[in-house]
Amino acid sequence: MAEPSDFSFTLGARMDGAHGRTGTIHTPHGDIQTPAYIPVGTKATVKAVLPEVVKDLGAQAVLSNAYHLYLQPGPELLDLHGGLGKFMNWDGPTFTDSGGFQVMSLGSGFKKVIDMTGPEAQGKVGSDDAVAPGKERLANVDDDGVWFTSHINGDRLRFTPEVSMTIQHQLGADVMMAFDELTTLHNSRGYQEESLERTRRWAQRSLDEHARLTEQRSHRPYQALYGVIQGAQYEDLRRKACRDLREMRAEFNGVEAGFDGYGLGGAFEKENLGTIVGWCAEELPEDKPRHLLGISEPDDLFAAIEAGADTFDAVSPTRVGRTGAFYTEYGRINLPRAEFAADLSPLQDGCDCYTCANYSKAYIRHLIKADEILAGTLMSIHNLRFTVRLVDDIRQSIIDGDFHEFKDQMLGRYYNQQKRPV
């Protein structure tokens, strides 16, 4: 019978003077060595890359989106296949988010979560009705749930904590997220407080429905549920959210249990990432894993890990790859530049990825200029491998006790504080 004890987290090495640590997340579909980068496969695919290749690149799990899979092809079909992993031919652990991100992205139209303070926000900060220029509101929140307007066909859709839990159980992911409301940096303090209380109530409803569905679907492997922490950039709200979620319980087959882990969500300025993760690490139980939802660049990875994040997802490696940029130890580079037109070297010397072993900058640049789909595949392979390898190296540096030295060296090179060799 499926039960919470089928999922666990084992602590490993700890960093001196920081919350960073290594560990192992044990799931029914395999272990995840942490800290770990989780590639994003929104619609049951990491864009432009075969699942088998994602695994070969060293990725330990993938994350998909409950809202998008609800629209296409529908969770019932994935359930029929035996879950997300079997559906997409991925035999490792899987994560799903709850639809909470779409509450923000379809509601206000803003796509960025970290550092949502660019030109598009001018004149709108503090407005609870802020909508990005050229966008219309496709999500409307009330205390019971959210009405979505499908961006595909205009259908009106109702999401509640119970609906989100039903969808995610049908998707069959090893790790699910409680339904939450993602606010923006434009919302007032008053709205952040109101939203946090709504998210707290939704979290308890998610946990209760998760317990009911776990018992009902005992023929399936146990699926872990993470409570999601909101509170924007307010320390008191973040800490309150952690304490509230930490204390929540539901009854699983006569035994009380809480959340299996915690998701750190919400909007914040980039420079506050480590501080906010650190507040949460101080409040959350040490024996439960922490997942940071949606981060980006190498400095974000170091900040998150040092502050206590165990896993994190990011679309950046594949997204920037499809737009012609690739990662190197000396920074992110745009391949369409003319200087690479006859460059026969790989994207990065010494890289062990398939792309660098077989193709030159000149060839891949040609594919980009010719608008060939293969360009996105080759660039994404390299960027995924770069990110997975970087996090593997960070994990090893924590074990070896030289995290800070490795961080200074790597970020010094990446952000051009050290010169690229000629």
Side-chain angles (χ1 to χ4, degrees):
M1 180 176 289
E3 55 186 30
S5 59
D6 295 337
F7 177 93
S8 63
F9 177 64
T10 303
L11 280 168
R14 300 168 187 259
M15 290 177 57
D16 290 333
H19 298 295
R21 74 262 185 94
T22 68
T24 306
I25 299 173
H26 306 281
T27 85
H29 290 97
D31 291 347
I32 302 171
Q33 303 301 320
T34 68
Y37 161 63
I38 312 298
V40 176
T42 299
K43 300 177 183 179
T45 174
V46 177
K47 288 188 184 297
V49 184
L50 286 167
E52 296 89 337
V53 174
V54 174
K55 184 165 189 135
D56 289 343
L57 295 172
Q60 301 179 70
V62 295
L63 179 143
S64 290
N65 183 283
Y67 174 82
H68 287 287
L69 291 176
Y70 172 75
L71 295 181
Q72 293 177 324
E76 297 84 3
L77 181 60
L78 274 74
D79 199 13
L80 183 65
H81 273 76
L84 171 63
K86 288 186 178 178
F87 185 62
M88 65 179 290
N89 195 32
W90 172 266
D91 62 4
T94 52
F95 288 54
T96 48
D97 60 13
S98 67
F101 180 80
Q102 280 66 43
V103 177
M104 183 277 292
S105 65
L106 295 177
S108 64
F110 292 101
K111 298 297 184 185
K112 292 176 68 177
V113 176
I114 294 180
D115 203 16
M116 197 186 302
T117 55
E120 64 183 4
Q122 291 180 5
K124 295 184 180 295
V125 176
S127 169
D128 295 332
D129 296 319
V131 178
K135 300 291 184 180
E136 62 176 315
R137 190 174 295 280
L138 299 178
N140 292 279
V141 180
D142 56 56
D143 284 341
D144 182 61
V146 181
W147 283 107
F148 289 108
T149 300
S150 169
H151 65 283
I152 296 175
N153 59 14
D155 284 354
R156 196 161 162 78
L157 315 168
R158 183 65 172 171
F159 264 54
T160 65
E162 293 77 15
V163 169
S164 178
M165 286 297 95
T166 298
I167 292 168
Q168 292 188 79
H169 269 267
Q170 290 174 316
L171 297 179
D174 294 280
V175 176
M176 308 176 293
M177 301 293 161
F179 192 52
D180 64 309
E181 180 187 2
L182 171 56
T183 58
T184 76
L185 292 182
H186 312 298
N187 293 118
S188 64
R189 163 76 191 216
Y191 189 87
Q192 300 286 3
E193 293 175 355
E194 175 187 326
S195 173
L196 195 72
E197 173 59 18
R198 183 160 41 240
T199 289
R200 184 191 68 79
R201 295 194 300 268
W202 288 0
Q204 184 64 64
R205 288 168 58 187
S206 295
L207 188 59
D208 291 340
E209 184 68 1
H210 168 54
R212 188 187 74 80
L213 290 168
T214 297
E215 185 172 355
Q216 182 185 94
R217 295 168 56 84
S218 59
H219 60 292
R220 296 291 198 192
Y222 180 72
Q223 297 174 249
L225 179 62
Y226 285 18
V228 178
I229 298 153
Q230 294 292 346
Q233 303 196 110
Y234 298 99
E235 180 176 0
D236 60 327
L237 298 186
R238 287 284 182 175
R239 290 184 182 275
K240 179 183 186 303
C242 291
R243 292 192 294 268
D244 288 343
L245 294 175
R246 189 182 66 201
E247 300 303 319
M248 284 185 186
R249 294 293 184 273
E251 188 174 300
F252 292 78
N253 298 311
V255 178
E256 282 199 342
F259 288 108
D260 301 288
Y262 301 90
L264 282 63
F268 42 79
E269 293 172 322
K270 182 183 175 78
E271 60 265 28
N272 292 332
L273 186 158
T275 300
I276 292 170
V277 174
W279 293 337
C280 297
E282 290 171 1
E283 299 287 348
L284 295 171
E286 281 203 327
D287 62 346
K288 298 289 181 74
R290 311 160 190 148
H291 181 83
L292 182 57
L293 291 149
I295 59 174
S296 186
E297 295 298 310
D299 56 337
D300 299 328
L301 304 182
F302 279 98
I305 292 169
E306 186 173 0
D310 299 304
T311 56
F312 32 83
D313 61 271
V315 299
S316 295
T318 52
R319 177 174 289 170
V320 303
R322 296 194 309 275
T323 59
F326 65 98
Y327 295 130
T328 77
E329 60 180 341
Y330 290 95
R332 195 170 88 182
I333 298 171
N334 293 319
L335 188 55
R337 295 192 328 224
E339 65 186 277
F340 300 119
D343 191 330
L344 303 185
S345 67
L347 296 178
Q348 179 177 312
D349 289 331
C351 177
D352 59 0
C353 80
Y354 170 82
T355 299
C356 287
N358 294 283
Y359 300 97
S360 68
K361 293 189 187 80
Y363 176 69
I364 304 171
R365 180 182 181 276
H366 153 69
L367 295 178
I368 294 171
K369 291 294 187 179
D371 199 24
E372 289 289 344
I373 295 172
L374 181 58
T377 295
L378 295 178
M379 295 284 276
S380 295
I381 286 172
H382 171 78
N383 287 347
L384 285 168
R385 179 59 187 149
F386 176 92
T387 306
V388 168
R389 184 173 56 238
L390 173 58
V391 177
D392 286 349
D393 290 343
I394 294 174
R395 185 191 317 123
Q396 190 61 48
S397 76
I398 296 174
I399 295 170
D400 295 340
D402 59 3
F403 170 86
H404 294 289
E405 293 84 351
F406 177 65
K407 172 186 172 182
D408 290 344
Q409 291 171 6
M410 192 279 163
L411 294 183
R413 289 193 301 269
Y414 190 86
Y415 292 103
N416 296 319
Q417 293 168 15
Q418 299 175 21
K419 282 184 133 186
R420 188 185 313 172
V422 179

